[in-house]
């Protein structure tokens, strides 16, 4: 069983799978093409990534330009605040964000379509994040916007985030809007 939960941004999909558990542990189906497609995730995934981060780490906001990159994100260990930002210039929700808490209890997944920036903040001591993507990673098409862009206004749920040098110096959305391919 898979439940599609409400979201406010068109194209973003939040899924709640059924977790089968008892005193021995649990089992959860994390992807089945036909069932996920029925719930709005109709993408061919070509790469699967796994990252581990410590509490307070903030990764984002990242995106790929041509051909774009959709992501199906889950957190099999720990807890994250997962964020998608609409970067589609003709969208009525351009520059708006949506977030979901993903963790190793509910096993929810967030689908972030092409045309969105993505990032997450770690809320637990350690978090593993796994995500399937629709195009192979290409550093030549990788871009980002400032995690703290006041025009976007994401409330990251962490007070002093740990950031990469790249994320510290990412431009504001207004600075790169004309370069966006969507």
């Amino acid at each position: 069983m898979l439940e599609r939960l409400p979201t406010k941004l068109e194209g973003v999909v939040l899924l709640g799978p059924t977790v089968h558990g008892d005193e021995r542990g649990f089992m959860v189906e994390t992807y089945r093409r036909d069932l996920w497609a029925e719930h709005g995730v109709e993408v061919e995934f070509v790469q699967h990534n796994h990252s581990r981060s410590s509490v307070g780490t903030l990764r984002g906001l990242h995106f790929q330009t041509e051909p774009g990159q959709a992501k199906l994100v889950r957190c099999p260990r720990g807890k994250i605040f997962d964020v998608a930002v609409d970067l589609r210039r003709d969208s009525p929700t351009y520059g708006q964000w949506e977030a979901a808490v993903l963790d190793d209890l509910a096993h929810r997944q967030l689908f972030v379509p092409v045309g969105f920036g993505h990032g997450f903040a770690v809320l637990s001591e350690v978090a593993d994040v796994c995500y399937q993507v629709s195009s192979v990673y290409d550093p030549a098409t990788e871009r980002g916007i400032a995690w703290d862009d006041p025009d976007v206004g994401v409330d990251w749920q962490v007070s002093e985030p740990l950031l990469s040098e790249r994320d510290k110096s990412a431009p504001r959305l207004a600075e790169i809007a004309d370069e966006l391919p969507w």
Side-chain angles (χ1 to χ4, degrees):
M1 178 108 177
L2 184 66
E3 179 184 13
R4 183 171 177 167
L5 303 165
T7 56
K8 65 180 185 178
L9 300 180
E10 184 182 340
V12 174
V13 178
L14 180 61
L15 298 171
T18 299
V19 180
H20 305 277
D22 58 26
E23 66 280 354
R24 299 167 300 153
F26 72 89
M27 187 291 225
V28 63
E29 190 172 69
T30 62
Y31 181 72
R32 193 175 92 202
R33 184 178 15 194
D34 62 335
L35 187 56
W36 266 242
E38 287 176 23
H39 287 83
V41 180
E42 298 183 66
V43 171
E44 181 181 348
F45 296 111
V46 298
Q47 184 174 321
H48 187 198
N49 302 317
H50 183 150
S51 71
R52 178 168 292 157
S53 304
S54 59
V55 67
T57 296
L58 192 154
R59 297 183 186 270
L61 292 157
H62 305 149
F63 60 95
Q64 301 272 331
T65 56
E66 298 299 326
Q69 189 178 70
K71 297 177 181 178
L72 180 62
V73 184
R74 65 188 187 91
C75 182
R77 176 184 181 191
K79 182 177 180 179
I80 65 169
F81 186 74
D82 202 45
V83 175
V85 177
D86 190 348
L87 302 177
R88 302 167 299 173
R89 290 178 291 171
D90 293 334
S91 169
T93 56
Y94 172 74
Q96 294 181 27
W97 61 278
E98 175 144 9
V101 172
L102 306 181
D103 62 26
D104 58 8
L105 298 175
H107 295 278
R108 290 181 173 167
Q109 298 178 7
L110 189 67
F111 175 70
V112 180
V114 169
F116 283 73
H118 174 257
F120 64 88
V122 178
L123 305 177
S124 55
E125 287 302 311
V126 173
D128 284 3
V129 177
C130 293
Y131 51 103
Q132 298 180 75
V133 295
S134 64
S135 63
V136 174
Y137 171 73
D138 179 359
T141 68
E142 184 175 41
R143 301 289 186 274
I145 61 169
W147 66 276
D148 60 348
D149 184 332
D151 293 334
V152 177
V154 176
D155 177 5
W156 285 100
Q157 311 293 306
V158 294
S159 56
E160 295 183 32
L162 302 171
L163 300 160
S164 69
E165 288 304 315
R166 185 184 94 189
D167 289 345
K168 287 179 186 177
S169 62
R172 291 174 58 173
L173 178 55
E175 296 175 77
I176 65 161
D178 292 340
E179 301 169 25
L180 295 172
W182 312 285

